[in-house]
């Protein structure tokens, strides 16, 4: 395992958990994971639970993330939430460009780049998601899609900002499907992403950027995935909604 980069494992709860359910989950995680220091642990509840979870994780080793934010700072943007509002709840990480938002909300690389810039301006750490669909993989377009998304979604970032950005590789065909990329497929994609980052910034910066894998991560495959040289953590969906499975993924990764 690469000791140069600390593992970061984030739970994306998506549109799940009432406030009461969120508190029950996070309180269980605090107990299960109290002694884990080798991994940066992030929980990303829905907006409605951020305030309660923020108080619950105070003085714990869990960090708070949000699932999206506006590229704008305050103003007439109905239904949007900006970085300043998230900072009130001690949010440190922000998921940007998740495949579901790219698909359902038609988010473009250009928009994601503006959001990433806004996140850095507010000293939030963006988790920028990239990944190919099944059709794109079967057409041997994986590398083309990844390079296009990376160059578009990270456009305009300084080298220092890039180092503070987490990239999440999520093969769209493996999200919530039970299909997982083989460890070789995951490592190959992560190594390619690092090559692109080296071209965009430089090799030293690329070596410092953490790249998460997201796509049906489970306790049973966590150790093998995290042992790959270019896999620096996981962005976990369904398995993060239950305390034992999320805690086991983290414990199995160490």
């Amino acid at each position: 395992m690469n000791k140069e980069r600390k593992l970061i494992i984030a739970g994306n709860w998506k549109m799940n958990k009432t406030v009461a359910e969120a508190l029950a989950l996070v309180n269980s995680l605090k107990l299960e994971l109290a002694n884990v220091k080798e991994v940066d642990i992030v929980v990303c509840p829905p907006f409605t639970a951020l305030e309660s979870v923020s108080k619950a994780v105070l003085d714990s080793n869990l960090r708070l993330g949000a699932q999206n934010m506006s590229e704008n700072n305050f103003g007439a943007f109905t239904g949007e939430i900006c970085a300043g509002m998230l900072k009130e709840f001690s949010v440190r990480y922000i998921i940007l460009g998740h495949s579901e938002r790219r698909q359902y909300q038609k988010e473009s690389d250009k928009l994601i780049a503006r959001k990433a810039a806004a996140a850095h301006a507010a000293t939030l750490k963006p988790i920028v998601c990239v990944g190919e669909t099944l059709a794109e993989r079967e057409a041997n377009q994986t590398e083309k899609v990844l390079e296009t998304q990376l160059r578009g979604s990270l456009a305009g970032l300084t080298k220092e900002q890039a180092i503070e950005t987490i990239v999440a590789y999520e093969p769209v065909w493996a999200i919530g499907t039970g299909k997982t990329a083989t460890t070789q497929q995951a490592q190959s994609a992560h190594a390619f992403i690092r090559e692109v980052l080296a071209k965009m910034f430089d090799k030293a910066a690329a070596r410092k950027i953490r790249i998460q894998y997201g796509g049906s991560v489970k306790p049973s495959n966590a150790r093998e995935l995290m042992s790959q040289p270019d896999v620096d953590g996981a962005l976990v969906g369904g398995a993060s909604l239950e305390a034992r499975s999320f805690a086991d993924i983290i414990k199995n990764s160490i």
Side-chain angles (χ1 to χ4, degrees):
M1 196 167 292
N2 191 310
K3 301 295 186 240
E4 186 180 5
R5 299 181 295 271
K6 188 177 182 182
L7 284 179
I8 176 165
I9 297 180
N12 176 15
W13 297 2
K14 307 190 181 184
M15 198 172 69
N16 294 292
K17 304 293 180 187
T18 63
V19 171
E21 290 166 345
L23 285 173
L25 175 52
V26 88
N27 285 328
S28 295
L29 289 173
K30 279 163 61 180
L31 289 172
E32 289 263 3
L33 299 168
N35 299 318
V36 175
K37 297 180 176 66
E38 304 91 333
V39 179
D40 285 336
I41 305 165
V42 184
V43 290
C44 303
F47 290 128
T48 49
L50 283 176
E51 183 176 14
S52 300
V53 173
S54 172
K55 291 171 183 170
V57 300
L58 215 59
D59 302 323
S60 81
N61 57 342
L62 305 183
R63 297 290 172 260
L64 192 60
Q67 297 176 24
N68 181 42
M69 65 168 229
S70 174
E71 73 275 27
N72 298 295
N73 296 320
F74 304 101
F77 302 99
T78 299
E80 292 293 306
I81 291 176
C82 67
M85 295 169 178
L86 297 175
K87 296 268 287 187
E88 285 192 303
F89 301 132
S90 305
V91 167
R92 297 196 192 187
Y93 295 88
I94 179 81
I95 300 172
L96 298 177
H98 191 280
S99 62
E100 289 157 2
R101 295 200 64 83
R102 288 177 183 267
Q103 181 182 352
Y104 303 130
Q105 277 74 36
K106 311 303 179 199
E107 291 198 358
S108 66
D109 294 331
K110 273 187 180 172
L111 174 62
I112 294 156
R114 291 200 299 272
K115 290 186 179 191
H120 282 295
T123 64
L124 294 173
K125 292 180 189 283
I127 298 173
V128 176
C129 302
V130 296
E132 81 282 9
T133 64
L134 184 59
E136 288 164 342
R137 172 164 280 272
E138 288 177 344
N140 294 316
Q141 297 288 301
T142 296
E143 292 189 350
K144 182 184 175 190
V145 170
L146 291 179
E147 182 153 10
T148 300
Q149 290 182 347
L150 286 164
R151 288 188 179 278
S153 302
L154 304 179
L157 294 188
T158 66
K159 194 190 315 182
E160 291 71 29
Q161 289 172 332
I163 290 168
E164 292 299 312
T165 300
I166 294 99
V167 174
Y169 168 60
E170 37 163 33
V172 180
W173 48 273
I175 298 172
T177 61
K179 291 181 183 176
T180 313
T182 65
T183 46
Q184 271 59 51
Q185 286 172 324
Q187 166 57 24
S188 173
H190 281 234
F192 177 75
I193 288 168
R194 206 174 300 285
E195 283 173 26
V196 174
L197 294 171
K199 286 188 278 185
M200 290 177 65
F201 303 102
D202 63 31
K203 284 186 178 177
R207 275 201 305 274
K208 293 178 182 174
I209 297 170
R210 295 185 286 182
I211 308 172
Q212 294 177 310
Y213 173 76
S216 299
V217 180
K218 305 181 280 287
S220 59
N221 61 24
R223 179 169 282 116
E224 198 181 350
L225 281 165
M226 299 310 131
S227 68
Q228 300 304 304
D230 287 295
V231 178
D232 307 313
L235 181 58
V236 185
S240 71
L241 297 175
E242 199 268 314
R244 176 53 55 83
S245 62
F246 189 56
D248 283 350
I249 285 170
I250 290 164
K251 290 173 182 175
N252 289 352
S253 300
I254 300 169

